[in-house]
Amino acid sequence: MTSYRLASAGSVNRGQPLTFTFDGKSYKGFEGDSLASALLANDQMLMGRSFKYHRPRGPVTAGSSEPNALMTIGSGARAEPNVRATVAELYDGLAAVSQNRWPSLAFDVGAVNGLLSPMLGAGFYYKTFMWPAALWEKLYEPVIRRAAGLGKLAMQADPDRYEKSWAHCDLLVIGSGPAGLMAALAAGRAGARVILADEGFRLGGSLLSESASVGGVSAADFASAMIEELEALPNVTLMPRATVFGWYDDMVFGAVERVQKHVGTPSPDLPMERLWRIAARRAILATGSEERPLVFGGNDKPGVMTASAMRTYANRYGVAAGGKVAIFTNGGSGYRTAADLVAAGVDVTAIIDARVQSADAVPGGVRVIRNGGVVGTKGRKRLEALIAERSGFQEQITCDALAMAGGWSPIVHLMCQRGAKPVWSDEAQAFLAPDVGSAFIAVGSAAGADTISTCLKEGATKAMMLARDLGFAAYEMNIPEVEGEYDPAFAPVWYVPGARDKAFVDFQNDVAVSDLGLAQREGFRHIEHTKRYTTAGMATDQGKLGNVATIGIVAGMRGVSPAEIGTTTFRPFYTPVSFGALAGTSRGEHAAPVRTSPLHDWAKKNGATFVEAGVWHRSAWFSREGEKGWRDSVDREVQNVRRNAGLCDVSTLGKIEIFGKGAAEFLNRIYCNNFLKLPVGKARYGLMLREDGMIFDDGTTSRFSEHHYVMTTTTAYAAEVMAHLEFASQTFWPDLDVRFVSVSDQWAQMSLAGPRARTIMSRVVEDDISDAAFPYLAAKTVTLRGGLKARLFRISFSGELAYELAVPAGYGEAVADAIMEAGRDEGICAYGVEALNVLRIEKGFITHSEIDGRTTPDDLGLGRMMALQKPDFIGKRMSTRFGLTAADRLQLVGLRPLEKLEEFSAGAHLLKEDATPSMANDQGWVSSTCHSPTLGHTIGLAMLRSGRERYGETIVVWDGLHGREVLAQVCPPVFVDPENRKLQG
Amino acid sequence: MRYSAYSIIKQALSGNRLWTPAWREPEPKPHYDVIIVGGGGHGLSTAYYLAKEFGITNIAVLEKGYIGSGNVGRNTTIIRSNYLLEGNIPFYEFSLKLWEGLEQDFNYNAMVSQRGVMMLAHSDGQRDAYARRGNAMRMHGVDAEMLDRKQLQALMPYLNYDHARFPILAGLLQKRGGTVRHDAVAWGYARGADMRGVDIIQHCEVSAIRRDEQGRVTGVETNKGFIGCNKLALATAGHSSETARMAGLELPIETHVLQAFVSEGIKPVVDHVIVYGAGHFYISQSDKGGLVFGADIDYYSSYAQRGNLATVEHTMEEGVSLIPGLSRGKVLRAWGGVMDMSMDGSPIIDRTPIDNLYLNAGWCYGGFKATPASGFCFAHLIAKNESHHVSRFLRLDRFERGHMIDEAGKGPQPNIH
Amino acid sequence: MASLITCPHCGTRPKEEFSIRGTALTRPHPAASEEDWHRYVYLRDNPKGRYQEYWHHAAGCRRWLVVDRDNVTHDVFSVTDAAPARGASE
C-alpha cells in the first residue's frame, strides 16, 4: 500500500492521528481529515459502486455534491447509509462500509449489468417485462427490487435525540468562503445580528483549499484570523456543520446542524442533529461554485476527479490523489492544479488543454497538449492510463489520477427553490442566480465572481449595502490584497466525442451521453422529460455535478443555446436531510401531548385501565379481583349502575362558558333547536349543524343566569366547537354581545348515575336536590358539604337517574373520593368509558359513531328538534335539499340477534334476508354494538335504509370481513326504559 | 413501434439508433372533433380511451407545458380502491381493474405493482370505521382483509408497536392496491393515443374559450391560434377553476398545495403501501429504492408548486412515529402539487350547463389512482353524452341536490378533506 | 406568508399557531335566495393570485383574521381582524 499523504502540505492535525475502519480493515488518518481524504491517503481510491451498472467508483469531488463515494457509517441502530465520505468528518473509531456491492466492493457480481448495457439504456424497463402479465410481480419486479437502492437502513429505533430551534437575525450568510467571511464581518462590525452558516466541518470554504495568499498570509490562515474576529463579536453567531437546506416563505430558512455526527461516542446530553428555522431579515448566498466534470469516454474511472477536488485533497488535507497525475482542462483551474501538485512534489505527467491556446502559466517541466482531449481511460478499479487525442492522433498516457477542469457553475440552488429559474449567461457560460428581490442576494462566485479578490470585495460591499438598508452604520472595509491568484476563466467543452466507453453525465445513476441521445430520439425532448426518462439528475446529488453538462449536451444535440433548454426544477433539500432532524422530538410516545383528566389519579387508585381517546387517556374500566377480562368488569359496572349507582369521570367533555347579552340569541342560531327560552337553572340537549345541514356536534348547554351559559361538547370535538363558536361570533354576528372561554381543563366533572344517585348525591350536596327542587334537566350552582361551590346538572347519558357534578379541577379527586365514600353503603362503583358506552347504547343515545359527518338530525330520529320556524340557525338553509330529506336515507335503528348467543360487531353491513351481497343490496351498516348485560345478549345501533319503517323486520348483519353473518331483528334504538321512567325518577 | 424484449435486443444490436419518438410533435389542425385541455394523466387517458374504445380519433390534447407536467408527474404513485361510499367504490374499483390490464393494453410497462395497501387503525372507533369500509368494499366484490396486531407484527415488524403514542390495533389491507411508476402512465397513454391518431400539442396554452350566439362552445384561443372543436373537455385539475372561468363557470373547488417527498435510495425495507391512521401519513418504496411519502396539504390556498417547512416537519414527525427506523434515513427531495380540493372531497366527471363543454375536475389528492377510470368515464361521457354507470354519482350539481359524496364526513370545507 | 403571519393583535407568529378555514366569504342573509346560499356554501371563485382567506389565531389571541395575500407568490398584503368593527390593523 502506497501512502499518498504528502510530506507537509495541508492543515490536518498531524499530531492527532485517528484510527478508523473501512470494510473491516483498519486505517489511520488525522484530525481534520474527511473520510475520503483519509482513505485516499491510504491508497483506497475505490470507494463505491454505481447504481445501475455497478461500475467501480472513486470520489469525484471533495464536497457535498459527491455522487460516488457513498458509504454506511456506524453500526447497529446508529448505522447511517449513503453518507458522502467527502464531507464526513473523520473521528477516532469511525467504522465505514461500502454499499451496493456483493460480495465485496472489489468484486461485485452486479457489474455484469455493464455487459448488458446496450440493452439497459434509458427507459428500457418501460418497454419490456410485460409478458406474461403475472410475471411482473412474481419475477421481474422482485429481481429489479433486489437491485434497488444504495445503502441499507437498519430500521431500528434511533438511540439518539434530535431537537429544533428558531433563530432570528438581521443577516444570514450562507457559506464561509472569501465572500461569506467578508460579508459576515462587514455586517457584524456594523452591529447587525449575523448568522454565518456553513455546511463544512471547518469554516473557511474554498480558502482552505487555495494556495494563494491573502493579506500576506496563507488563505487558510487568513480565514482563521477572520473567524477569530467574528467569534469575538457578540452579535455574530457562527454555525459550522450547518447546512442551509431550504428557503421558505417570509425569509425563513431551514438549516440542519450536525451536532454530534463527528463524535465516536455521542453524549446523551446533546442532540445528534439540530434543526434550525432561521428567520432572517436579509440573507446572502455565498455558496461558491461547483467545478464541472468533463464528459468523455471512461470519465468515471476511480482516480478521475475534478481539479478543484484534487487541489482540496492536496492543499487542505495534504493528500495526493495519485502518484502520477494528468490534467484535462478547459481553463485556468487545470493549470493551477498542476502548479499546486508540482509544488507539493507530485508528478504531473501532462496537461491536456481543450483550448488551442491560453495565457495560463505552465509549471516547469509539465507537458501541455493543446487543442487536445481525453477520449478514453484504462484501468478497472483504478485509473491506469488515459487516451489523449489531438488532431486525430491518439496517445496513451500513463497516470493513476486525472483531474477534470470543466468550468464553473455558481451554486444557486437555494435561490431557485421558490419558483425563480436561474438565468443562462453566454458570457459566463453558466446559469446564474435569478433576481429574487433585495432581501436575498448572491455574492462571490455564487454570483459569478471569478477571483478571490473579487469575492472578498463583493462580500464586503454587498453586506454593507444590506446592513445600511436595515439602518446600521456600516463603514468601508479594507479589502486585503491577494497574491498568487489565478484566472479561472474557461472555454466550454460539453462533451468529447469519439469514445468507445460510456461518457457519463450522471455518475451515480450511470446516465451516459448515449442515454441523452436516445431520449431526444424518442421524443423526451423537454429537459424534464429527458431527466425523468434517463434519470439524469435524480440521484442523491440531485444533479449538482452533472445537470449543467446534461443541459449543455442536450442543447448541442438540438443545436440551440442552453438558455433555450433551461433547467429542471430546484427543490428542497439542498442536500439530503435526515428524517430524525426534521422530526425532532415529536416522535414515538411524544408524537402528541398526553392529556389526563383531573380525576386521573382518582381513577388510577380505583384500579382503572386507561385507553387513548384522541390525545386523552380516559379510564376505560375498573378491574376487580377475580374478573377474568375487561368484559367481566364492564358487565359488572353496567349492572351496578342500573341496580345501584356508579361514578364516571366525564371531565374530558369540552366545557365552554358563554357570557353576554347576546348569548341567548347566539345559542339559538348555533343550535338547530330552540335555545332562546331556556330558563335559568335549566340544561338542554342541543344539536349543532354544519352549514351544509349535517350534524356537527351535540351536547348540553345550561343557563346559569340571564347572560351566562355553560356548554358541554363531545370530547373529540371540543376544540372544533370552540373555534366554530368564535368563528360564528366574530365573522357572522359580531354585533351580538357574546364572549366565550374554554374551561375544559378548569373543571373536574363526574357523572353519578343509578337509582341510588340522589341518595348519594344528597350526602355531599347541601342544597335540596329532591326531584321537586331539582328535577330532570335542572342545572345550578350548589354548595357541597364543606362549603365548596360546584355546578350540578341533572342530565343522564345512561338512562338512569343521574347527575353531573363539576368542581374546580383541583378539588376533583377529593370530591370524587367523598362521593365514593358517601355511596359505599349504597353499593356505588367507579365505571369507565366502556360501561358508559354500553349504558348509552342500551338507551339509544348517539355519539360520533353515529354522527359521522354524513347524518342529519332526522336520520338519527331527532328531526323534531329542527326548529325551522326560527329565522336563522347554522345549517338551516341547506337542510331542506332533496338529498337530505329523501325517504330512503339511512335511519337510526336498533338491532337484536334472533339467536340470543349470536354476536355481531360495529362495521358490519345490512342485507335483506336472502339477498346476495352487492352494493345495490346494501341496506346500511352497524354503527355501535355491545354486549348488553341488562338484556343478556348483543345489541346494536345501526343506520338502515328507511329504517324507522322497518321495525320488526329480520335482517342479515353481514360481516364479510370477519366471515360472519347473523340474523337480527330491527327494533327501535332504545333497549332500556323507553318511557324514561328511570331518567325522570 | 411495438415495445418488447425482442425490440430491445434488436435495437441494441443496431446501437439503439433506430428508436422512434414515443409521440409526434404535430402542429394543431384548425378543427377537431374533441379538444381536451390538459395533457396530464387524465387528459391523456381520456384521449386514449376516446380513440381506442369509442372510435373518436380526431382529437387534440392541448398542454400548456410538457405532457405529464402536472400532478401525474408529482404524486406518491399509490393505486387502491379501498373507499367507503357508494359514489366512489365502483368507480375506483373500475379504475383498479383497468390498472391491472393497463400495460398489456397500452404496451408500456408502467410497473403496476400490487404490493398491497394497508390502512392502520389506532383506536376502537377507527377499527370499526375501517370494518365498515372493508365490508362496503367486499359488498361490491372488492378485496379487503382486516389484520389484527399480531398479524401486522409478522407482516411489518418495523412499525412502532411498543413505544407508540397511539397504539396500532389493526389494519385494513387491500392486497390489490399498490403503486405505479407515475411518469410512465402519462407517457404510456400519450404514446397509445398518438399511435391512434391523437394530436398531442405541448406548449399550447388556452387563453379563452370561444362560444357562439347560442352559448355553445366552438373552440379555444391559444398561443398557437384559434382551434375549433365540436366538443371541449377540461381536464386541468389544480387549475380547474381557472379554465372553467374562461367559460364563465364557478366551481365547487379550492386550490391547495400538497407536498410529497422521496428519500435517498435504500435497499428495500417497506414492501407495502402503509397509511398511518393516527395522523395522515402514507409511504411506499419505489423499485429504485426511494421511500415515497406524503401527509397533509399545507391547508392554505395556493397555486404555487411548493410548500412550507412546518408541513415538512409534521410529515417527518408522523413518519418517524410510525416507523422509528426511518430516523437515520435521509430525505432527498420535496415537491408540491397543486390540488383541486372539492367541497366534499370527491371528483366531478360531468357535462356542464354550457353546451359542448365537459368537465373533469375536483380530484383532491386522489387523482392519480383514478387516471384510467377517469379517462375511460370521461371519454364515455364525451362520446355518448351520458355518464358511464360507475361515474354516475360524480355530478357537478350534486351539491345543489344534496347528494354529496363525503368520504371524510367533513362537510363543505375543502382543505380538510 | 406561510412561514410567518403577522397577527394584528399579537405580532409576527409562526404558521403553526394558526388554523386555516378557506375563502373569506360573507354569509348571506338568512332569507337570501337558494342560489345565493348554494353559492356561499359550495362555490368558490378560487382565483389564481390575490386571495382573501380566513385564518384563526388558534394558539394565540383566538381571533379570526382575514389574510389578504397572493396564492402564487405567497406574499401577504395585509392581515386584519375578521370582525368588521375590528377590521383595521391595530
Side-chain angles (χ1 to χ4, degrees), chain A residues 166 168 248-250 252 277 279 418 691-692 719 722-724 726-728 730-734 739 871-878 880-881, chain C residues 1-5 14 16 21 27 29-34 37-38 40-42 54 56 62-64 73-76 81-84 86:
Chain A
W166 280 88
H168 299 264
Y248 298 92
D249 290 331
D250 310 310
V252 169
R277 273 198 248 174
R418 287 172 58 186
E691 203 70 275
D692 68 348
M722 183 70 187
H724 175 71
E726 287 166 331
F727 183 73
Q730 293 171 31
T731 74
F732 296 165
W733 310 303
R739 291 289 183 274
D872 188 15
F873 62 85
I874 291 173
K876 178 185 173 189
R877 289 301 303 266
M878 288 286 125
T880 51
R881 285 175 292 167
Chain C
M1 172 274 305
S3 299
L4 301 168
I5 284 285
E16 297 96 304
R21 187 179 167 112
R27 190 171 184 265
H29 188 275
S33 68
E34 291 283 323
W37 271 97
H38 173 250
Y40 166 69
V41 177
Y42 288 109
Y54 280 131
H56 186 210
R62 303 287 305 180
R63 294 296 299 178
W64 281 89
T73 64
H74 292 180
D75 289 336
V76 176
D81 194 289
R86 293 184 166 220

Side-chain angles (χ1 to χ4, degrees), chain A residues 351-430:
Chain A
I351 298 174
I352 299 123
D353 190 335
R355 299 168 300 177
V356 178
Q357 54 182 352
S358 82
D360 298 296
V362 183
V366 175
R367 177 185 172 209
V368 180
I369 302 172
R370 295 192 193 279
N371 198 18
V374 177
V375 295
T377 56
K378 303 252 171 190
R380 273 187 29 76
K381 285 168 221 158
R382 175 151 196 162
L383 182 69
E384 288 164 9
L386 59 81
I387 314 290
E389 185 178 276
R390 183 189 174 193
S391 317
F393 294 99
Q394 295 196 344
E395 176 189 353
Q396 180 162 325
I397 296 172
T398 303
C399 58
D400 61 354
L402 170 61
M404 307 179 278
W408 300 91
S409 299
I411 299 172
V412 298
H413 195 301
L414 284 169
M415 262 190 181
C416 302
Q417 286 184 357
R418 287 172 58 186
K421 291 267 189 180
V423 187
W424 175 257
S425 159
D426 274 329
E427 192 194 350
Q429 284 294 309

Side-chain angles (χ1 to χ4, degrees), chain A residues 222-276:
Chain A
F222 169 74
S224 301
M226 294 278 285
I227 290 156
E228 207 170 300
E229 183 177 350
L230 286 165
E231 270 173 344
L233 290 174
N235 52 324
V236 174
T237 306
L238 300 181
M239 290 176 65
R241 302 189 181 95
T243 304
V244 179
F245 60 75
W247 177 39
Y248 298 92
D249 290 331
D250 310 310
M251 291 295 286
V252 169
F253 292 82
V256 63
E257 182 186 2
R258 289 172 298 280
V259 181
Q260 294 201 88
K261 284 282 181 192
H262 58 296
V263 175
T265 315
S267 158
D269 300 328
L270 285 172
M272 178 52 55
E273 296 181 276
R274 188 180 286 127
L275 186 81
W276 290 93

Side-chain angles (χ1 to χ4, degrees), chain B residues 161-235:
Chain B
Y161 297 97
D162 300 327
H163 300 284
R165 173 69 181 82
F166 304 104
I168 296 170
L169 298 185
L172 182 67
L173 174 65
Q174 184 182 25
K175 280 188 175 155
R176 287 165 58 244
T179 58
V180 181
R181 167 83 183 107
H182 58 353
D183 286 325
V185 175
W187 301 339
Y189 276 123
R191 180 168 163 271
D194 176 89
M195 273 165 36
R196 289 168 176 82
V198 173
D199 282 355
I200 296 167
I201 302 164
Q202 303 187 76
H203 308 291
C204 182
E205 183 164 6
V206 173
S207 53
I209 293 173
R210 195 186 281 183
R211 294 162 69 182
D212 66 12
E213 283 143 24
Q214 283 78 44
R216 293 174 301 210
V217 170
T218 58
V220 290
E221 308 284 352
T222 77
N223 56 340
K224 299 191 187 225
F226 174 78
I227 311 172
C229 64
N230 298 338
K231 293 179 176 181
L232 180 65
L234 305 180

